[in-house]
Amino acid sequence: MPIKRYGTPAKPGALPFARAVAAGGWLFVSGQVPRDAEGEIVEGNITVQATVALNNLKAAVEAAGYSMRDVVRVSAWLDDPRDFAGFNKVYARYFEAEHAPARVCVQARMMSDIRVEVDCVAYKES
């Protein structure tokens, strides 16, 4: 069973990680943060940053040929636990109740000046 990597670094010396990796029907999407197409952090409250991060997650899932209905697990990290309710409102726009993935959401100190990071695992029959 081949392993396929999506969004690997194009320039020499870039960090060696893929945006997503598929193997045997499984798709593992790296943590997505609120960065725009130029790689700049999008400033804003949890609604703004969660929307950008989840749009980036969705784009990674779809670029690999999967859909959000194929997502079976989501991990979310919030910088401030007071953002939990706001994050949930945005999150609910990306997943249907009948296709809800398992999820964990924890507070974490972020590596950059961001409020949220999300990753996921998806599966579909090959």
Side-chain angles (χ1 to χ4, degrees):
M1 114 183 54
I3 295 173
K4 179 146 180 155
R5 291 170 174 82
Y6 300 88
T8 54
K11 46 187 174 174
L15 289 175
F17 71 89
R19 189 169 184 200
V21 176
W26 292 97
L27 179 71
F28 301 89
V29 178
S30 295
Q32 300 298 305
V33 297
R35 289 192 187 272
D36 63 20
E38 288 75 42
E40 298 296 320
I41 293 172
V42 174
E43 303 278 334
N45 62 22
I46 190 61
T47 301
V48 170
Q49 288 202 352
T51 299
V52 175
L54 285 161
N55 281 342
N56 291 342
L57 183 85
K58 184 177 182 208
V61 167
E62 291 175 351
Y66 290 70
S67 77
M68 295 301 272
R69 287 182 171 192
D70 298 320
V71 174
V72 295
R73 175 130 164 66
V74 173
S75 297
W77 294 270
L78 300 177
D79 184 60
D80 186 338
R82 293 173 292 189
D83 285 338
F84 186 65
F87 173 77
N88 282 337
K89 286 180 184 175
V90 175
Y91 179 88
R93 296 193 310 243
Y94 291 83
F95 298 97
E96 303 165 2
E98 58 273 13
H99 300 285
R103 188 185 95 175
V104 63
C105 187
V106 298
Q107 179 186 10
R109 181 174 288 152
M110 300 295 174
M111 301 305 292
S112 300
D113 189 22
I114 58 174
R115 304 179 76 83
V116 61
E117 182 169 352
V118 291
D119 74 3
C120 73
V121 176
Y123 178 80
K124 72 176 184 174
E125 295 287 329
S126 304

